[in-house]
Amino acid sequence: MSRILLADESPHAQRMGESILRGEGFEVVTVTDGDTAALRLSDVDPDLVLVDVGLAKKNGYEFCQFVRSDPRFSPTRVILTAAATATLDEERARRVGADATLRKPFELTSLLEAARPLLEYARRERAAKSPAKESGIDREKVRAAVTLALDAAMPAMINELTEKVMASLKD
């Protein structure tokens, strides 16, 4: 299930966004300011963030730049949002790495048309970064098993190599 972080100080925008997105089966976490959104990034690990450009503490542009500056969040897609009457600087949105922009109030069709391809992109990028986890295999468990096997085999390998080196030195 895709996770979406919705950062907007408007209760109406939160309700509308949540209603549309949850109705489509997405997990949605809402916050009311940019600093809280930045703090929640690690624990929510969203595939997509909808963030209002006019947020307090860390506006949408600053938040987007923050996400793009941290490699841990490279799969996370960002849509900058703004009220119909608010200024939305498309050039600045591109400069900070926003994937899309969207006007509020949220409308079902436009929100889903913007979100779905970005969610699919995030899913593919996460799968490419961790193909073993995607197939249900835990990479760290495999690594631990290989390490144990090498640790067990190491003394015999060392003895065998030592004997070969000693034999070649005698010749």
Side-chain angles (χ1 to χ4, degrees), residues 4 16-26 28 50 111-112 115:
I4 300 171
M16 288 297 296
E18 276 185 292
S19 175
I20 293 168
L21 296 167
R22 284 196 175 138
E24 293 296 311
F26 302 121
V28 181
L50 294 162
L111 177 54
L112 294 177

Side-chain angles (χ1 to χ4, degrees), residues 35-160:
D35 282 349
T36 305
L39 288 171
R40 296 296 311 271
L41 264 176
S42 292
D43 68 283
V44 173
D45 192 22
D47 300 300
L48 175 66
V49 179
L50 294 162
V51 58
D52 185 12
V53 296
L55 281 182
K57 299 182 182 175
K58 187 184 295 274
N59 69 40
Y61 303 108
E62 294 165 336
F63 177 83
C64 186
Q65 197 164 22
F66 170 78
V67 170
R68 294 294 173 248
S69 70
D70 191 328
R72 293 177 300 163
F73 306 121
S74 64
T76 303
R77 305 294 89 199
V78 178
I79 297 176
L80 294 178
T81 65
T85 58
T87 302
L88 180 56
D89 185 342
E90 296 283 344
E91 177 55 34
R92 186 174 179 195
R94 276 189 290 282
R95 277 196 322 268
V96 297
D99 296 288
T101 58
L102 190 61
R103 289 291 183 170
K104 298 183 289 183
F106 294 127
E107 189 272 321
L108 183 126
T109 304
S110 60
L111 177 54
L112 294 177
E113 283 177 356
R116 281 191 175 127
L118 296 175
L119 288 165
E120 179 58 26
Y121 178 88
R123 186 195 64 75
R124 283 193 317 266
E125 192 168 325
R126 286 180 192 276
K129 283 184 143 193
S130 182
K133 284 203 177 195
E134 194 68 20
S135 66
I137 300 168
D138 186 335
R139 180 177 297 280
E140 290 307 311
K141 286 184 180 178
V142 170
R143 182 180 171 86
V146 168
T147 301
L148 288 173
L150 285 172
D151 283 348
M154 192 62 70
M157 289 176 14
I158 291 170
N159 286 339
E160 184 178 336

